[in-house]
């Protein structure tokens, strides 16, 4: 009977240890910010966004210069014009200021939309590569080790190099 209890206890320990070892998950981490910044598509997207930003800035600067010139001209001529003309000119200046503000707002919205349109496929490609590499290496969880990403300790396997290889750079 004593041998039976010992055998039963040993069997339970074996089953428990086996269950514990299979219950452990394989976990890896990757810094997605580093990955995306290293992708050639990201450099192209950033150049496109920068080019569009400079175009909008140049147009806004031109509009502002035109407004300043008109304000200077109107200020210089204020004494030679009638009250009615001065009121009309002040209204014209206000309309120009409003149109510049509206253009700035529209430009900001356009830039945000363009950025989202350009970055979405890049992030999707990165995610697909991360999933492919993690499945190939048998990882059940991949945590984002980007600063502030919620990982306090990142001593596990880092997939950055493997995912870069998968993406071809």
């Amino acid at each position: 009977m004593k041998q039976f209890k010992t055998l039963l206890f040993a069997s339970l320990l074996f089953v428990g240890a086996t269950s514990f070892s299979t219950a452990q998950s394989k976990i890896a981490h990757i810094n997605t910010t580093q990955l995306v910044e290293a992708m050639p598509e990201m450099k192209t997207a950033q150049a496109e966004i920068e080019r569009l930003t400079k175009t909008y800035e140049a147009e806004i600067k031109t509009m502002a210069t035109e407004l300043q010139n008109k304000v200077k001209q109107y200020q210089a001529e204020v004494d030679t014009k009638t009250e009615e003309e001065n009121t009309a000119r002040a209204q014209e200046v206000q309309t120009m200021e409003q149109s510049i503000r509206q253009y700035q707002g529209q430009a900001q919205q356009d830039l945000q939309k363009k950025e989202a349109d350009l970055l979405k496929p890049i992030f999707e490609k990165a995610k697909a590569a991360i999933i492919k590499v993690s499945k190939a290496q048998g990882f059940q969880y991949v945590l984002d080790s980007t600063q502030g990403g919620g990982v306090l300790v990142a001593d596990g396997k880092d997939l950055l190099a493997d995912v870069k290889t998968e993406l071809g750079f």
Side-chain angles (χ1 to χ4, degrees):
M1 185 72 171
K2 187 169 180 155
Q3 287 180 338
F4 179 71
K5 284 183 181 179
T6 306
L7 185 60
L8 182 62
F9 181 73
S11 298
L12 286 174
L13 279 177
F14 177 75
V15 169
T18 305
S19 297
F20 179 75
S21 66
T22 58
Q24 289 185 354
S25 303
K26 287 186 75 177
I27 300 173
H29 66 92
I30 185 167
N31 187 324
T32 55
T33 302
Q34 272 185 326
L35 174 66
V36 170
E37 287 175 355
M39 293 173 69
E41 296 93 336
M42 186 63 165
K43 290 172 181 54
T44 305
Q46 286 175 333
E48 176 70 20
I49 292 166
E50 188 174 316
R51 183 192 60 76
L52 192 58
T53 300
K54 286 181 181 180
T55 302
Y56 282 129
E57 286 174 352
E59 290 178 23
I60 291 169
K61 188 174 182 180
T62 301
M63 292 169 77
T65 302
E66 182 181 322
L67 175 65
Q68 287 175 344
N69 291 339
K70 194 162 281 219
V71 167
K72 286 179 185 177
Q73 177 190 352
Y74 288 172
Q75 285 175 347
E77 297 173 350
V78 75
D79 294 332
T80 62
K81 301 296 179 183
T82 66
E83 186 69 31
E84 197 173 281
E85 288 176 319
N86 287 335
T87 303
R89 287 177 167 198
Q91 184 64 37
E92 182 183 354
V93 167
Q94 286 178 345
T95 303
M96 287 179 74
E97 288 174 346
Q98 286 177 342
S99 69
I100 290 172
R101 280 194 287 276
Q102 286 176 342
Y103 185 77
Q104 284 175 323
Q106 186 62 43
Q108 187 67 29
Q109 288 177 355
D110 290 349
L111 282 171
Q112 288 174 348
K113 185 179 183 311
K114 183 70 170 181
E115 185 175 18
D117 291 345
L118 290 172
L119 296 183
K120 184 179 179 187
I122 295 170
F123 283 106
E124 288 175 354
K125 182 177 179 181
K127 183 178 179 181
I130 291 168
I131 291 169
K132 185 175 180 181
V133 169
S134 67
K135 284 187 178 190
Q137 294 186 13
F139 290 105
Q140 295 169 320
Y141 299 97
V142 178
L143 305 174
D144 188 358
S145 62
T146 303
Q147 182 69 24
V151 177
L152 299 176
V153 178
D155 289 333
K157 168 81 170 152
D158 187 356
L159 294 180
L160 184 62
D162 296 328
V163 173
K164 280 183 174 180
T165 302
E166 174 65 31
L167 289 171
F169 63 92

